[in-house]
Amino acid sequence: MADVADDKNPAVEAVELSYSYQRPLVEALRAVNLTLPRGTFTAVMGPNGSGKSTFLRLLLGILRPTTGEIRVFGESPTAPSQRVQRLIAYVPQYDSINPLLPLRSREVIALGLSSRVTDRPARWIDERVSQILEDLGLVEIRDRQYGLLSGGQKQRVLLARALVLEPELLVLDEPFSAMDMTSQHATAKLLSGLVRQKRRTVITVVHGIHTIVHHLDYLVLLNKEIVAAGTPDAVLRPVNLTRAYGTDVPVVICPEGFRHPLVEDVHA
Amino acid sequence: MPDFSSYLTSPFVLRAAAAFLFVAMNASLSGVFANFRNSTFLVSGASHAALGGAALVIVLESHGSVFGVSPVFGAAVFAVLLSIAAGSAHNRGSTAGSDTAIGVGFALSMALAVLLISLIPESASRVWGLLMGDVLLITNQDLVLLAFLTLCVATVFVVFWKQFLFVSFDLDGARAFGINADRFNYLLFALIGLSSALLVKAIGSILVFAMLSAPAATALLVSDSVRKTLWWSFAISFAAGILALVLSYFTALSVSAIAAFLVTTAYFSVRIWRFAFAR
Ligand SMILES: Nc1ncnc2c1ncn2[C@@H]1O[C@H](COP(=O)(O)OP(=O)(O)O)[C@@H](O)[C@H]1O
Ligand SMILES: [Mg+2]
């Protein structure tokens, strides 16, 4: 069996990966081939319903491939040992969460940490939670109800819940969508720091790409199939964007020389 | 009519008070989670499905096919089956499918109950008793069963507290954090169904919805933490039960009906108070 700690295995490897939901029958992903090395920062982009969240669910082991294979650090994420699952942390779309439970921010984070780490006393959990709240500047909202926070605050609490696990692989689903500009940039820098300084692997689904395009190693353009994958510069070409979004997406080049597709404006 | 103090200390009233204690425990666990999951309709569906199950046992018994089986058993089986059907829709992430499953199960069980009653009219009064309930007629045996099953429900809640919170809060997240979310979802829904069935004997199918969901719904309005929600839910439910026993002495109205009236009034009062004064 492949060793999780073996550096030769890529972080993520998808081979002819396909997934269809059964009820109702929806083909969400078709024959995806993709290899993402360790210590890289990747974004996945595509129109609504293009299978981005499904791809993340497959690599988290929440779904099993219909056909094909996905391996994370060389192992199947659905393996019963949960060995790779323990190396991954997940930031779900903030609106996928039930706001009816009056959990406080710190309880949300502690719930995640104590589900993963079962051999530590409650005090240790509390200390780690306090630390991450401080690191992310969330001390003010530690005792506020999660359901009553703003969208951006919710996203930062979910980010804290994932970061406190110190994961090898961090998987995020539209983590910036409700954040203000300042938080978006701070978060992009933080993720980039994880990759550059600690050699963690980060994969994030994004809708708008402006805030992170400067930090990325790879960009995957998805529309059920992979439309294009590679460096942002190679992928962000009008021909690819048109194929992915089914309409012309203007691309501007910023003063630093990065390509920016104006996807949000097309959607609006 | 006995004087008030001997009424309060009569075995009927003491048993009823004890029953309300267990009702309140169910309200603060299953009731609260039914509200968290936006599945209070399940409580209503399960308590009526329970009626069908109980009627089946009663009729089989009068027919001589089974002997010594408590109707609560049939009630529990039907309610739990319905809850699991509802839970399966939740695991696929669709609350709409869940409501349909509950509605169909609800209708099916009620149809069964009515059919059985008309087939065997001798048992009709026992089945009607379960529909309306009379907490003052609860027997020691009923009470022991209620206590035992309530403690079972409470124990499962305590053991899997964290998992239940996590799957209710964030289903996909719980899965990604290594929790077998499907299994805990089914278990949670089964507990809600079981609680609904348990209360049928004490307060009657029609009023289970009020006593199990309304206190928790009210508690959620006034609480800013999970713990406070549990305590408020318990307190509202238990206080309503005791107050209903007292008021029943003076009005000669059904205890369950008064209790249900009190908890629903509490709910609407808080809503109106909020609407009028809170921002
Ligand atoms: N649980 C589900 N059951 C059935 N179809 C689903 C389910 N979840 C998503 N889908 C469908 O699968 C497709 C891909 O969904 P998703 O991966 O969520 O897209 P994205 O995240 O790119 O918006 C969509 O057509 C969506 O409607
Ligand atoms: Mg999505």
Side-chain angles (χ1 to χ4, degrees):
Chain A
M1 187 193 256
D3 187 346
V4 169
D6 182 353
D7 234 354
K8 287 193 293 286
N9 287 313
V12 175
E13 198 174 10
V15 183
E16 292 293 307
L17 176 69
S18 300
Y19 188 83
S20 296
Y21 291 96
Q22 296 305 315
R23 274 182 288 176
L25 188 67
V26 176
E27 186 189 36
L29 282 181
R30 188 188 303 147
V32 167
N33 290 295
L34 187 67
T35 302
L36 301 173
R38 289 177 183 227
T40 55
F41 192 178
T42 304
V44 180
M45 228 176 116
N48 296 328
S50 58
K52 304 182 294 291
S53 297
T54 304
F55 178 68
L56 297 191
R57 287 193 196 111
L58 285 160
L59 83 85
L60 290 163
I62 295 172
L63 300 175
R64 266 170 215 282
T66 307
T67 58
E69 248 189 284
I70 182 146
R71 282 189 295 273
V72 179
F73 301 121
E75 275 187 39
S76 160
T78 52
S81 71
Q82 295 196 347
R83 222 147 53 111
V84 276
Q85 265 199 325
R86 263 185 254 283
L87 303 176
I88 312 177
Y90 174 47
V91 178
Q93 273 174 258
Y94 79 96
D95 53 6
S96 72
I97 284 187
N98 180 355
L100 295 176
L101 279 74
L103 289 172
R104 289 126 196 265
S105 305
R106 66 175 159 78
E107 292 174 322
V108 170
I109 300 168
L111 195 56
L113 184 59
S114 61
S115 304
R116 187 64 68 82
V117 181
T118 49
D119 56 355
R120 298 280 191 159
R123 259 200 57 189
W124 183 88
I125 302 275
D126 287 345
E127 278 165 19
R128 294 299 307 272
V129 171
S130 300
Q131 188 60 50
I132 196 76
L133 284 165
E134 212 166 290
D135 292 350
L136 293 189
L138 296 173
V139 175
E140 262 165 55
I141 59 169
R142 77 189 290 270
D143 289 314
R144 298 255 303 274
Q145 262 188 72
Y146 176 88
L148 302 179
L149 298 175
S150 75
Q153 288 172 323
K154 285 179 180 168
Q155 289 184 319
R156 286 160 64 200
V157 170
L158 295 179
L159 183 66
R161 185 182 74 171
L163 288 176
V164 75
L165 303 178
E166 306 203 322
E168 276 302 314
L169 170 62
L170 181 61
V171 174
L172 310 98
D173 202 342
E174 302 200 15
F176 309 108
S177 56
M179 285 185 188
D180 58 42
M181 269 302 151
T182 320
S183 303
Q184 284 193 27
H185 282 291
T187 308
K189 261 179 88 173
L190 187 149
L191 297 179
S192 172
L194 283 179
V195 176
R196 305 295 161 229
Q197 277 133 44
K198 302 195 175 165
R199 217 174 155 255
R200 303 281 163 73
T201 310
V202 176
I203 301 173
T204 180
V205 164
V206 287
H207 191 51
I209 199 175
H210 305 309
T211 35
I212 59 164
V213 71
H214 299 210
H215 301 285
L216 290 178
D217 297 301
Y218 300 110
L219 177 63
V220 178
L221 211 50
L222 197 65
N223 192 355
K224 277 193 198 177
E225 317 174 274
I226 291 188
V227 173
T231 64
D233 190 56
V235 169
L236 292 173
R237 303 284 162 161
V239 52
N240 291 333
L241 291 164
T242 307
R243 272 185 61 209
Y245 287 90
T247 167
D248 284 345
V249 179
V251 176
V252 297
I253 298 181
C254 73
E256 289 114 287
F258 290 95
R259 291 171 174 275
H260 290 257
L262 302 179
V263 172
E264 295 95 329
D265 309 282
V266 168
H267 273 256
Chain B
M1 195 150 133
D3 65 74
F4 185 54
S5 65
S6 56
Y7 167 80
L8 281 187
T9 52
S10 73
F12 300 101
V13 173
L14 291 179
R15 276 198 294 266
F20 278 125
L21 180 72
F22 298 116
V23 169
M25 284 176 73
N26 283 289
S28 76
L29 295 167
S30 296
V32 165
F33 271 88
N35 273 277
F36 282 169
R37 302 305 294 266
N38 212 353
S39 298
T40 51
F41 186 45
L42 172 62
V43 171
S44 191
S47 62
H48 287 82
L51 192 70
L56 187 63
V57 171
I58 289 172
V59 165
L60 288 178
E61 200 175 34
S62 68
H63 195 246
S65 314
V66 297
F67 188 71
V69 176
S70 166
V72 172
F73 182 74
V77 169
F78 270 46
V80 168
L81 285 179
L82 179 73
S83 310
I84 287 174
S88 115
H90 268 267
N91 277 333
R92 282 183 279 115
S94 136
T95 31
S98 164
D99 280 356
T100 312
I102 295 167
V104 172
F106 187 145
L108 189 69
S109 298
M110 286 303 281
L112 182 69
V114 173
L115 196 75
L116 291 170
I117 289 174
S118 58
L119 278 178
I120 315 211
E122 307 89 87
S123 345
S125 66
R126 276 180 79 191
V127 179
W128 279 122
L130 292 176
L131 190 63
M132 307 306 292
D134 192 343
V135 72
L136 288 172
L137 292 184
I138 201 164
T139 63
N140 279 329
Q141 217 181 343
D142 294 332
L143 198 56
V144 168
L145 194 60
L146 178 62
F148 173 72
L149 290 173
T150 301
L151 290 179
C152 290
V153 168
T155 306
V156 180
F157 267 107
V158 168
V159 172
F160 298 121
W161 185 248
K162 215 184 291 177
Q163 286 88 340
F164 288 153
L165 274 183
F166 210 157
V167 298
S168 302
F169 181 67
D170 175 8
L171 193 60
D172 261 4
R175 286 175 173 137
F177 276 73
I179 290 174
N180 189 331
D182 288 11
R183 191 186 299 164
F184 285 110
N185 239 350
Y186 282 127
L187 187 57
L188 177 58
F189 276 76
L191 289 175
I192 294 172
L194 187 58
S195 284
S196 312
L198 290 187
L199 304 197
V200 166
K201 183 74 216 273
I203 51 183
S205 287
I206 296 180
L207 299 174
V208 167
F209 177 72
M211 290 303 282
L212 206 55
S213 331
T218 316
L220 261 177
L221 290 175
V222 298
S223 309
D224 63 358
S225 76
V226 173
R227 185 178 301 227
K228 281 186 203 161
T229 313
L230 300 191
W231 281 113
W232 271 115
S233 184
F234 179 86
I236 293 167
S237 177
F238 190 52
I242 299 302
L243 194 56
L245 283 170
V246 171
L247 292 177
S248 171
Y249 174 83
F250 296 106
T251 59
L253 296 171
S254 146
V255 179
S256 311
I258 298 176
F261 182 75
L262 289 174
V263 291
T264 46
T265 306
Y267 176 74
F268 285 117
S269 307
V270 172
R271 283 312 286 257
I272 291 167
W273 174 270
R274 284 264 166 134
F275 181 73
F277 298 106
R279 342 233 81 245

